[in-house]
Amino acid sequence: MMFGRETQVVDCRHGMGLGRGGGLAQRGTLSETGRPDVIAIAMSPGRRHITKPVCELTYGMRREEIQVSVLVLNTGSGVPDTNVGSGSFGISPEEIAQINRHKVAVIHTGNIRDHVVRKVKAILEEVNIPAVVVCQTLVDFEDFAMAGVKTRYVKPKKSDILAKGRVMEIVTGITRGESCSREKLNELVKAVKSTMRSLEN
């Protein structure tokens, strides 16, 4: 794998950092491909936020010749607008700029529907690119539309739109910390390619 900028990068095969000093994949980690097509966004690693599936998803997309960068958010745990302090969810101006350099975002979250919707909304409030949502819990386009996020199939009233970005596809049933099935990898690849094609049209 080739990486561009001199930031700490992640070797997804082993979960190890390859940047200065090495170490485990950690908060604020960014790996970039030569062409900024897709960026996979992972929540901060920790007891409940394990980045392993993101590595498998990234490898699966790269195997299908999709150019994928990976960003592990610096404050990606917690819930937006709650638990204000070191444990709260947030996205920095630097992370916003990194995401906005890409054409499509693959946002990997967890198993609590409300948290999934709020985290995706918080990201798409700041970045104006289409997104593929990956999570364990069952969530649908109406859940995002009700929160003020535009989607491929359901759109809030203009006065209710609160986000710049749009949810284009949703892939559920991917569990944090567990291996991802070939079926789910194929579903993700199909979703990403479909979203990329929609941009060309």
Side-chain angles (χ1 to χ4, degrees):
M1 289 183 286
M2 296 182 63
F3 301 95
R5 307 174 195 280
E6 282 199 351
T7 53
Q8 183 180 18
V9 298
V10 181
D11 183 341
C12 289
R13 294 167 296 179
H14 302 97
M16 299 296 289
L18 299 175
R20 297 176 183 174
L24 293 173
Q26 56 190 301
R27 300 169 188 269
T29 300
L30 169 72
S31 76
E32 290 189 299
T33 56
R35 190 173 71 238
D37 284 346
V38 178
I39 183 164
I41 303 169
M43 301 302 106
S44 306
R47 183 173 60 87
R48 294 182 58 206
H49 293 80
I50 303 169
T51 57
K52 174 183 175 182
V54 174
C55 290
E56 291 188 354
L57 298 174
T58 302
Y59 175 76
M61 286 186 281
R62 287 177 176 162
R63 188 181 58 204
E64 295 296 322
E65 300 184 351
I66 298 171
Q67 295 285 316
V68 188
S69 302
V70 182
L71 172 65
V72 182
L73 294 179
N74 189 50
T75 55
S77 58
V79 186
D81 302 323
T82 64
N83 303 319
V84 175
S86 60
S88 62
F89 175 90
I91 182 168
S92 71
E94 293 77 15
E95 290 167 338
I96 292 167
Q98 288 162 354
I99 296 168
N100 271 325
R101 284 199 293 267
H102 296 77
K103 297 176 182 176
V104 175
V106 173
I107 305 174
H108 177 255
T109 54
N111 190 38
I112 301 175
R113 181 184 295 182
D114 180 57
H115 292 191
V116 169
V117 172
R118 290 166 72 179
K119 287 184 177 184
V120 170
K121 176 186 174 184
I123 293 170
L124 294 183
E125 281 177 340
E126 303 295 340
V127 299
N128 190 18
I129 62 174
V132 176
V133 175
V134 177
C135 58
Q136 180 180 347
T137 189
L138 289 176
V139 64
D140 59 31
F141 293 102
E142 289 207 3
D143 292 322
F144 292 105
M146 288 177 62
V149 180
K150 295 174 290 185
T151 77
R152 183 173 185 174
Y153 298 108
V154 185
K155 187 176 180 181
K157 292 189 300 183
K158 191 170 183 178
S159 59
D160 294 335
I161 294 174
L162 302 174
K164 301 174 184 175
R166 178 190 304 263
V167 174
M168 297 294 287
E169 301 282 352
I170 302 171
V171 180
T172 62
I174 294 180
T175 305
R176 196 160 42 211
E178 295 185 8
S179 292
C180 185
S181 69
R182 177 66 60 87
E183 178 185 11
K184 286 297 176 181
L185 286 176
N186 289 342
E187 187 178 343
L188 174 62
V189 167
K190 182 178 178 182
V192 171
K193 288 187 173 181
S194 172
T195 301
M196 293 292 288
R197 282 194 301 270
S198 72
L199 296 179
E200 295 171 1
N201 298 330

